[in-house]
Amino acid sequence: MSVHIDAPAGRVWELVSDVTRIGEFSPETFEAEWLDGADGPRAGVRFRGHVRRNGVGPVYWTTCTVLVAEPEREFAFAVNGPGGTTVNTWRVPAGAGAGRGRHRRNGVVPAAA
C-alpha cells in the first residue's frame, strides 16, 4: 500500500515520527508508547504499539525498533517478531518528490523514491 501525503516534508516527518499519535492515523494501531526511557524518535530506540488487526481483532501489543530518524527526510521502523526476526518494515521518506511524503506498508520504499 502506498499513500501520497500532500504536505511539506517537515510536517510529514513531525507527524509520522511521533508514535504517540499513531492512533490518529492508523486503521490498526490505536496507541503507542516509547520504551526504555525513550521520549522521541532516534535510530535504535524501541516503542510498542497496541494493535487491533484489521480493525476488529485480535488485539495485541507489538514491539518496534526505529531504524532511521532523519528529520524532514525519513522515518523508518521494524516490527519485531519472535526470535529477533522482523515481520514488517515501515518506511516513510518524508522528503520524497518536491517536499511531499509517501507512506508504504508491507515493503520498503527507498528514501530517494
Side-chain angles (χ1 to χ4, degrees):
M1 173 178 94
S2 184
V3 176
H4 176 77
I5 303 167
D6 189 19
R11 183 67 176 143
V12 172
W13 194 87
E14 177 185 303
L15 292 171
V16 300
S17 67
D18 182 357
V19 301
T20 64
R21 296 187 63 185
I22 201 165
E24 297 174 42
F25 311 111
S26 173
E28 292 185 338
T29 306
F30 56 92
E31 67 178 322
E33 60 190 17
W34 296 108
L35 297 175
D36 309 319
D39 61 359
R42 287 182 308 283
V45 302
R46 297 179 327 130
F47 66 92
R48 69 181 190 151
H50 208 180
V51 177
R52 181 176 297 113
R53 179 60 92 201
N54 298 318
V56 294
V59 175
Y60 55 93
W61 286 96
T62 187
T63 301
C64 304
T65 303
V66 175
L67 303 172
V68 180
E70 296 178 14
E72 296 192 27
R73 291 189 42 86
E74 183 176 9
F75 179 68
F77 64 89
V79 179
N80 304 331
T85 61
T86 297
V87 297
N88 202 344
T89 300
W90 292 77
R91 191 170 296 274
V92 182
R100 302 303 184 201
R102 179 198 273 156
H103 167 75
R104 181 145 212 178
R105 178 178 177 190
N106 293 330
V108 175
V109 176

